[in-house]
Amino acid sequence: NGAYRQKQLDVWAELLDAAHTYRRFGGAISETLWNYLASLVNQVLIHWREPDSGIWEVRSEPQRMTYSNVLSWLALDRAITLGRIDSRDAPYDLWERTCDEIRAEVMRYGINSKTGVFTQAFGSTALDASTLSFPIRHFIDASHPVMSKTIDAIMEELTIDGLVARYKVSDEGVNVDGLTGDEGHFVLTSCWLIDCLIARGDLCRAKELLERMLDRANDLGLYAEQIEPHTGAHLGNFPQAF
């Protein structure tokens, strides 16, 4: 798996978000763990402007992935919350200033100026279903005009029968992600779409898509990483662990 050579700037945020969730539900953050988490924040401060391969581990040239920048924002946001809950000493002014800076860059460079929707990468026009996670991460409200347009565009361009593709794999027969072959539609992104519809208040549509998704489980109630939308075949890693 060539991804082991890649730079993926979202991983620090996943750890900080996990610690934040742990603390929210009663866990204690020790001094040792806090020092480790603060060291992750330092890595974000150093690297957040760098191009990377993103959540989908694309094998094409690294870009400034919009998702990775939002996750860099998330890392700082969670660190600020964690530190203040337990009255830790930390450079909050720097963290908050960088948080604002990242948000500003995402809203300036991570939106298609013609369509008004979030893009896969800064300066790109590609649509990417990872942007459906932005309301779930509390980066932006699902009803915000940019986010709402993004949800609608993904439903129109990347969704078949409630199943959401990560992005358009090929453009005029050329695979844009550096990988060969086709793929199914992702269970994770399909569930993110349901979450977004709920957050936007489209409850009837969300309920319909959720019921379809439940019907697609196998006889053990499990899902693979991907589902082929035309045949219902489960593809890729199994079981889906998200």
Side-chain angles (χ1 to χ4, degrees):
N1 188 334
Y4 83 94
R5 298 189 187 94
Q6 291 182 348
K7 182 186 297 179
Q8 298 174 15
L9 299 181
D10 57 309
V11 294
W12 296 308
E14 296 290 3
L15 290 166
L16 281 151
D17 196 34
H20 176 264
T21 302
Y22 172 68
R23 180 68 180 83
R24 267 184 65 211
F25 289 97
I29 305 295
S30 67
E31 189 72 20
T32 300
L33 178 54
W34 170 253
N35 290 336
Y36 171 68
L37 296 172
S39 75
L40 301 183
V41 177
N42 288 336
Q43 293 300 309
V44 175
L45 293 172
I46 293 168
H47 297 289
W48 70 270
R49 276 198 171 98
E50 297 174 3
D52 77 326
S53 299
I55 181 177
W56 306 134
E57 303 174 350
V58 295
R59 304 306 199 270
S60 49
E61 284 298 310
Q63 302 178 73
R64 283 197 65 186
M65 298 294 187
T66 306
Y67 178 87
S68 297
N69 279 265
V70 169
L71 269 283
S72 294
W73 171 89
L74 180 75
L76 290 160
D77 179 78
R78 296 301 188 256
I80 291 165
T81 302
L82 277 171
R84 290 209 157 123
I85 286 173
D86 292 326
S87 302
R88 307 282 187 182
D89 287 329
Y92 295 111
D93 287 346
L94 172 61
W95 292 1
E96 289 173 346
R97 190 166 63 248
T98 307
C99 237
D100 292 342
E101 203 172 345
I102 297 171
R103 175 184 286 280
E105 291 208 6
V106 169
M107 299 307 290
R108 181 176 180 182
Y109 301 115
I111 297 172
N112 185 324
S113 60
K114 292 183 179 178
T115 61
V117 305
F118 283 117
T119 58
Q120 182 178 67
F122 286 10
S124 166
T125 59
L127 196 60
D128 192 308
S130 66
T131 58
L132 291 172
S133 70
F134 295 174
I136 301 164
R137 304 294 198 173
H138 303 293
F139 178 79
I140 192 170
D141 289 338
S143 57
H144 186 286
V146 173
M147 193 65 233
S148 190
K149 286 180 183 178
T150 302
I151 295 166
D152 290 339
I154 288 171
M155 289 183 69
E156 181 178 347
E157 298 182 34
L158 297 182
T159 304
I160 297 176
D161 197 23
L163 293 171
V164 181
R166 299 185 296 175
Y167 47 83
K168 288 184 178 177
V169 174
S170 62
D171 182 12
E172 297 181 354
V174 178
N175 279 46
V176 298
D177 57 6
L179 294 168
T180 57
D182 297 316
E183 64 180 28
H185 286 35
F186 267 57
V187 170
L188 176 62
T189 52
S190 304
C191 291
W192 282 347
L193 175 59
I194 294 168
D195 285 335
C196 283
L197 292 173
I198 292 168
R200 196 171 69 170
D202 297 339
L203 300 183
C204 290
R205 181 67 170 147
K207 183 173 183 288
E208 175 192 348
L209 295 184
L210 177 58
E211 288 174 347
R212 284 195 212 171
M213 181 60 71
L214 293 173
D215 287 341
R216 291 183 169 106
N218 74 358
D219 56 331
L220 298 176
L222 299 175
Y223 298 83
E225 176 184 42
Q226 309 165 36
I227 296 175
E228 209 292 319
H230 301 291
T231 66
H234 287 226
L235 307 171
N237 297 329
F238 181 88
Q240 171 65 280
F242 284 102

